[in-house]
DNA sequence: GATGAATGAGAGTTCATTCAT
DNA sequence: CATGAATGAACTCTCATTCAT
């Protein structure tokens, strides 16, 4: 129950779980997982810590739930990628879609990027690693030369870098996004071309 | 003091500071900064926590000292880069040297990579950011098209990714290192070529 | 409500109170009173904690209710004992009946035995103490020498010990029960004989 | 540092560990292990909770340390018992000594008696069980009839009961102690006599 | 050059209990 | 007859830090 202007308590229409997730994600992304305490999350929501435990069994479960809810689009992307022919077009489209996925769940991926060490220790670490590998396996031909495999991985991580590290570069964000995308597309294209030459 | 064969304690003539740094770096790189407690460091050294405070004023100072001691090569690289003409050769040589620098202080850079969020909050965050910017400014012509600037940044981060993320890829490490280097070199070369076309 | 084969919930026509008692006793006896949480009880029953509060006002009331329901036989035994002449036969028969009572409500008495400190703080502590005193007063003649009073108390507690402590002794349980009973009977007999000698 | 009459702080001459044990034992014996919080112990000592953790790694370690420090006499008794011939005299002397041991470390054994369930879960549970078995093996001849074995165990537990349960009986404590001892001695004597008859 | 002893702040977690629905 | 949502108080435990010796 919250407090209204006249001091009475107010119904929370069962959206508390969602609100916890929202606040937690914001704080996790801003300050990191370990530096964000449950007290802090609770205070932001005007709830007691115990309330958090009604909705989530542990602190880790909060981040796991966020991960599970927000990485659905990546799973979808993997499914889609697997259903397509392994052409250059497909790979380019994958890069474009992946770029969009990252942008849509920016806070989560910013969190993952800034806390790679922490994430690895959490239960989501392995899952995330698997997803990354799945994506890579769609981009790269395991028979391809190592250098082309690297190019593809580099394309993926260029998107990450573009989102989370180049924030301080000049130019407006949208322009930068396009430039990053172009470089990533170039990388997969080059990787593919060599394949054709073989 | 350590324990010798006859059970007596042994002098560690003044190298304790160094030993603290060594152990701390190992633990920070393995477990992260916040998940490594001073108690843990002290135990690994068979010393009390208070002893750490004799050598370092705070926990943060330990990592700062590591950073300062170990990033000298990057400073040198920047100085060198600035003293050279802005040719493609220079940039390629920079990439090669940077790659070596990363490899030589692998634990520190692995730590920085895995704990980007934490690092940002620490005092070293700004310093590191400045270094990265300095490097970038040597690689990229601020007048160059955005996409080429991105390419150069991407080259640098490809080296990072190659060191800390692609560990699970097949192939032996040395081969992988070379492949990564090749991709990075390609990226700066492309960035440069376009510049020439203008 | 439970789950039937077609997935719908099933009536538990008013026996929930009973089921709570059953599960609670089992858990209390196994883990102790304080180490058993209401959450745990509720989960075992596939019911919410709040449901427990519909049937019992507090956690303590659960154990009180168990105690009241299950120690009726002891009350009966006391009533019977008082109605009999204070002969040796009576005392021996009391021992036999007491032994049976303990065996019949084994989990409760095991709980009481293992948690004597806790029980003392609970509301049932005093009640139980009174019952024990009542029993003792039937066994022992307050005029009898102290040593004989001790013998009678010892007889009673030998039965307890026999049930809850000697579980790890060799021999099959039934044999052991009889041996324990024989020792207890001996003790009251000796107490009585001395009385005769006076 | 403590507070003196004039409000200044006072040295604690390194006896804090001992003081923690003393206070903890008193509270554990009075209220039980789980119902005694570390906050409570700390407050009694005018120290912070963290100070307790300087001296003991966990709450359980406090009780373990008490157990280890205070049950040495039982170990000694076992050693002594094993070195003696298995005569009636030995057994009787064992009973007498055991009675004294219990009296000397009364608070610890009162705690053990009142919290048998808790003790079982703690690390000391198994150790204690072993000690009891060792004692039993000295008292009882494994070849003896079951009923005589029971008599011996009963003798031991009569001593316990005498110390911790019969407190509310009339008569002065010393008289009661003697009466209890007499009953226990009788029990082992009877057990032994039967053996002779075989 | 280092230790022993302690602190204050705070962490995550669990508990019995309440109450509107 | 029972649930969903929440609370407040307590818990054990850990941390970086301090300081007299």
């Amino acid at each position: 129950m919250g407090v209204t202007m006249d001091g009475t308590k107010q119904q929370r229409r069962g959206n508390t779980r969602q609100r916890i997730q929202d606040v937690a994600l914001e704080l996790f992304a801003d300050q990191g997982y370990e530096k964000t305490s449950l007290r802090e999350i609770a205070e932001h929501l005007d709830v007691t810590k115990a309330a958090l435990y009604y909705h989530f069994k542990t602190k880790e479960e909060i981040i796991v739930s966020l991960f599970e809810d927000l990485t659905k689009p990546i799973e979808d992307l993997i499914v889609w990628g697997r259903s397509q022919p392994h052409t250059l077009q497909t790979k380019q489209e994958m890069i474009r879609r992946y770029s969009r996925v990252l942008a849509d769940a920016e806070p989560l991926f910013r969190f993952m990027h800034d806390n790679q060490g922490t994430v690895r220790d959490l239960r989501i670490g392995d899952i995330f690693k698997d997803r990354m590998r799945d994506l890579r396996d769609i981009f790269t031909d395991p028979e391809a030369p190592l250098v082309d495999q690297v190019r593809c991985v580099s394309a993926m991580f260029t998107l990450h870098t573009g989102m989370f590290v180049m924030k301080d570069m000049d130019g407006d964000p949208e322009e930068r996004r396009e430039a990053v995308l172009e470089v990533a597309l170039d990388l997969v294209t080059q990787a593919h071309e060599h394949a054709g030459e073989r």
Side-chain angles (χ1 to χ4, degrees), chain A residues 37-180:
Chain A
S37 70
L38 294 183
R39 179 185 53 69
E40 213 174 350
I41 297 176
E43 271 171 12
H44 271 247
L45 291 165
D46 199 28
V47 189
T48 61
K49 274 185 291 171
L52 305 184
Y53 278 91
Y54 177 76
H55 295 281
F56 298 93
K57 269 210 285 287
T58 64
K59 185 184 180 186
E60 183 166 356
E61 217 190 56
I62 299 181
I63 189 104
V64 170
S65 81
L66 283 167
F67 181 79
E68 282 170 353
D69 290 5
L70 294 174
T71 59
K72 182 78 178 20
I74 290 206
E75 275 181 72
D76 293 346
L77 183 57
I78 290 168
V79 170
W80 179 85
R82 283 183 175 148
S83 73
Q84 298 300 114
H86 280 211
T87 65
L88 178 57
Q89 264 76 22
T90 297
K91 289 173 185 175
Q92 287 173 337
E93 180 60 19
M94 285 280 292
I95 284 289
R96 275 188 217 98
R97 292 189 179 201
Y98 186 54
S99 169
R100 185 121 306 286
V101 162
L102 289 181
D104 286 347
E106 196 264 351
L108 179 69
F109 290 108
R110 175 156 47 93
F111 165 75
M112 306 280 273
H113 181 265
D114 282 358
N115 300 272
Q116 299 192 45
T118 298
V119 165
R120 200 175 300 134
D121 295 340
L122 263 28
R123 197 146 50 78
I124 48 177
D126 289 332
I127 312 180
F128 191 62
K129 212 170 170 181
D130 287 349
R131 300 267 160 89
M132 287 296 110
R133 201 195 312 268
D134 287 345
L135 278 177
R136 195 184 72 197
D137 290 348
I138 297 177
F139 280 122
T140 75
D141 181 354
E143 311 275 294
L146 192 56
V147 70
D148 284 327
Q149 293 188 38
V150 168
R151 245 182 272 265
C152 288
V153 176
S154 186
M156 281 170 61
F157 280 91
T158 292
L159 295 180
H160 295 185
T161 307
M163 295 227 70
F164 312 120
V165 193
M166 299 189 196
K167 291 222 151 155
D168 57 325
M169 277 179 64
D170 346 290
D172 82 321
E174 193 44 38
E175 266 188 66
R176 205 180 62 230
R177 210 181 85 83
E178 273 169 32
V180 166

